[in-house]
Amino acid sequence: MNEGRVAESGTHAELGALGGRYAASWRAQMREAGIPPSGAVVGLSGKDVLLRYSRVPPAPAWKLRMLVGYDATQGGELDASFSYCLLNLPVRADSSDLAVLTVVAKNDVLHACVESLARDGIKGADFVPDSLALYEAFSHCPETDKALDRYCLVLDIGAAKTEMAIVYNRGLIFARSIAFGGRDFTRIVAEALGVDPDSAERLKRKQGEVLSDDEIASRPAAEQPMLRALSHAADEFLGAIRASLMFARAQTRLVDLETRRVYVSGAGARLAGLIDFLADRLGATVTAFRPPDDWGAPAEAGQPSEWMIALGLALMALKPPEERMLLLPPQERRRRDFRRRHVFAWAACVLFVAAAAAAHRARRLFRPVEGVAMVRPARFREPEGYPAPGKPLEFEIALLVPGQLAPREFTRRIRPGRLTVQMEIANRGTGAIRLRVEDQQ
């Protein structure tokens, strides 16, 4: 708002692209919150990312990646990036094939995300599916101890979609994004009542509740149309969940896959009566999924948390890059691979250059200078013209260096006798001079 008028309007990406007040305010908030400009982990969902399941025979890592990549990019015809991991499926006696989960995203989608983040001042981000972030959050919660020898279904109901993960023995066996969320409940209410989406959203939040037909019949007549619309939306949502479970059985080849324990999170899960509805129709124990209290995440007692995917992304950021299922544009992946593979070579080059520079500097300071050396006795100070035995003998040493107009003369005292003197005399402009003087006395 600007003096009571709307100064800028649009989505976060649109307003960020404008580079106006919203973008400046957003960057200021990131700085105040201490969010670093690099190393972020960004979630992808919906049509932006595709999750595939396949079975391949046991193979070396390099061959497995080649097989998975060929299938993910349709033999190189699809301009996409991919990542994969092995699933923790129960062992089957009739097959030794590996179950592989492959994550695929088109490169134009990744490039658009990179550009949008760059406008926010964030560079070098990693991209992962939201459903895997949901599993990451679940795997660090005490609820995983209840997932031993049983299948657990984890749902995060957002505004536009629902993230789904199936866990067995603390391991992920299936993940998917369901194209149904809180806005679909609102849309169905708006269509049934003939109102705009904003009004339908307010009614849903204030009076909305998922009830059975008998319970709806007992409510005031003015409320029944909205309640029936929410009941119809809940049935559609239930159908989407059941279809995903059937798809999971087909992909994992686990015909006995039955989820008797369900954990639900997300803002959409706060719709009154929805958890009880799912428990009744799925025949399972459905629990509001919340992070542990010591995580410090905002949460209301007894209510599903809205922060599970965000917490999962944060947990993935703490893992080493090689343990994440990263989706990166080709240029970014090549840059990181080059840096990872050649970082030691570059470090060695830097050390070599530094050592060479130090050696060169040392040679400049102490390099021998070619020239003609003249050594002559100085004037004897003794009356008889020769020093007494054992007394120092003074020599004058002149070094004629090419390029110098006049010889440089130095004096050194040596003692009589057969000896060798190694001299290092500072010579401005040419470094130091090493002069070997032999006395034949």
Side-chain angles (χ1 to χ4, degrees):
M1 299 291 289
N2 180 23
E3 298 178 356
R5 296 179 292 106
V6 177
E8 299 174 351
S9 63
T11 64
H12 170 75
E14 294 169 347
L15 293 175
L18 291 176
R21 296 187 178 184
Y22 176 85
S25 174
W26 172 256
R27 288 191 288 268
Q29 292 178 24
M30 291 182 58
R31 288 193 298 268
E32 293 176 2
I35 299 176
S38 61
V41 178
V42 180
L44 297 177
S45 184
K47 297 180 180 180
D48 293 339
V49 63
L50 176 65
L51 279 72
R52 293 181 177 178
Y53 298 85
S54 60
R55 286 183 177 269
V56 297
W62 66 269
K63 188 174 183 180
L64 179 62
R65 181 171 182 80
M66 182 181 65
L67 293 172
V68 172
Y70 184 86
D71 178 67
T73 60
Q74 301 176 9
E77 296 182 0
L78 181 64
D79 183 20
S81 297
F82 73 95
S83 185
Y84 70 95
C85 71
L86 300 180
L87 296 176
N88 184 30
L89 295 182
V91 179
R92 294 179 52 183
D94 59 339
S95 175
S96 60
D97 291 348
L98 302 176
V100 181
L101 168 61
T102 307
V103 181
V104 186
K106 292 184 177 180
N107 287 326
D108 56 352
V109 173
L110 296 178
H111 286 305
C113 293
V114 169
E115 293 175 358
S116 176
L117 291 169
R119 288 191 292 267
D120 292 335
I122 299 177
K123 298 180 181 180
D126 299 333
F127 298 95
V128 297
D130 281 345
S131 55
L132 298 187
L134 177 62
Y135 162 72
E136 188 70 25
F138 181 79
S139 66
H140 286 79
C141 291
E143 284 78 1
T144 54
D145 295 334
K146 303 176 183 178
L148 299 177
D149 297 326
R150 67 178 66 188
Y151 301 104
C152 292
L153 174 63
V154 188
L155 299 172
D156 186 273
I157 308 173
K161 38 76 180 177
T162 297
E163 300 301 332
M164 170 182 178
I166 300 179
V167 182
Y168 179 81
N169 277 347
R170 296 195 179 100
L172 177 70
I173 66 170
F174 185 82
R176 197 184 192 192
S177 181
I178 303 174
F180 200 101
R183 291 177 185 170
D184 294 283
F185 284 85
T186 302
R187 173 183 55 81
I188 294 174
V189 170
E191 294 173 353
L193 302 182
V195 298
D196 60 271
D198 292 338
S199 300
E201 179 69 19
R202 287 192 294 269
L203 285 172
K204 184 186 74 173
R205 290 174 177 267
K206 185 177 180 180
Q207 303 176 8
E209 188 175 0
V210 179
L211 300 174
S212 64
D213 293 340
D214 294 338
E215 291 173 327
I216 293 175
S218 64
R219 291 298 184 92
E223 298 180 5
Q224 290 183 12
M226 181 194 63
L227 296 176
R228 289 195 182 95
L230 287 176
S231 178
H232 176 63
D235 287 334
E236 285 193 20
F237 181 52
L238 178 65
I241 295 175
R242 285 175 172 171
S244 295
L245 289 173
M246 291 179 61
F247 182 72
R249 295 187 187 97
Q251 293 296 312
T252 60
R253 302 180 187 178
L254 298 173
V255 295
D256 61 339
L257 196 160
E258 295 292 340
T259 54
R260 297 303 181 188
R261 189 176 292 274
V262 181
Y263 297 91
V264 183
S265 63
R270 296 192 173 193
L271 179 60
L274 182 59
I275 290 181
D276 294 336
F277 170 82
L278 293 176
D280 179 63
R281 297 299 182 88
L282 293 175
T285 302
V286 182
T287 306
F289 184 31
R290 301 171 61 253
D293 295 336
D294 56 0
W295 283 18
E300 298 179 16
Q303 291 292 329
S305 173
E306 304 178 22
W307 301 92
M308 298 314 300
I309 291 180
L311 291 171
L313 293 171
L315 289 169
M316 296 186 82
L318 300 176
K319 300 174 66 175
E322 60 272 12
E323 296 181 11
R324 310 178 199 164
M325 286 191 65
L326 302 182
L327 286 170
L328 298 173
Q331 296 88 339
E332 179 67 16
R333 184 175 292 277
R334 286 194 293 267
R335 185 180 68 84
R336 295 192 187 186
D337 289 344
F338 179 83
R339 184 174 59 187
R340 184 181 67 253
R341 294 175 182 176
H342 302 286
V343 62
F344 295 108
W346 279 109
C349 289
V350 171
L351 291 176
F352 175 79
V353 171
H360 177 70
R361 181 175 177 82
R363 285 195 299 272
R364 279 196 65 192
L365 295 176
F366 300 103
R367 71 174 186 268
V369 179
E370 295 181 357
V372 180
M374 297 185 302
V375 182
R376 60 180 182 272
R379 292 183 178 180
F380 298 137
R381 297 174 182 173
E382 300 295 334
E384 62 274 16
Y386 193 83
K391 288 191 175 182
L393 178 64
E394 187 174 280
F395 277 83
E396 292 180 352
I397 305 166
L399 181 66
L400 304 180
V401 181
Q404 294 185 357
L405 297 179
R408 303 293 300 272
E409 297 187 358
F410 310 95
T411 301
R412 177 83 177 193
R413 288 177 178 274
I414 61 175
R415 291 189 178 277
R418 191 174 186 82
L419 55 88
T420 299
V421 178
Q422 180 75 26
M423 301 175 62
E424 291 186 4
I425 308 172
N427 184 17
R428 183 180 303 172
T430 61
I433 298 173
R434 294 175 181 171
L435 182 61
R436 184 182 182 89
V437 180
E438 293 186 357
D439 176 25
Q440 301 298 330
Q441 297 292 332

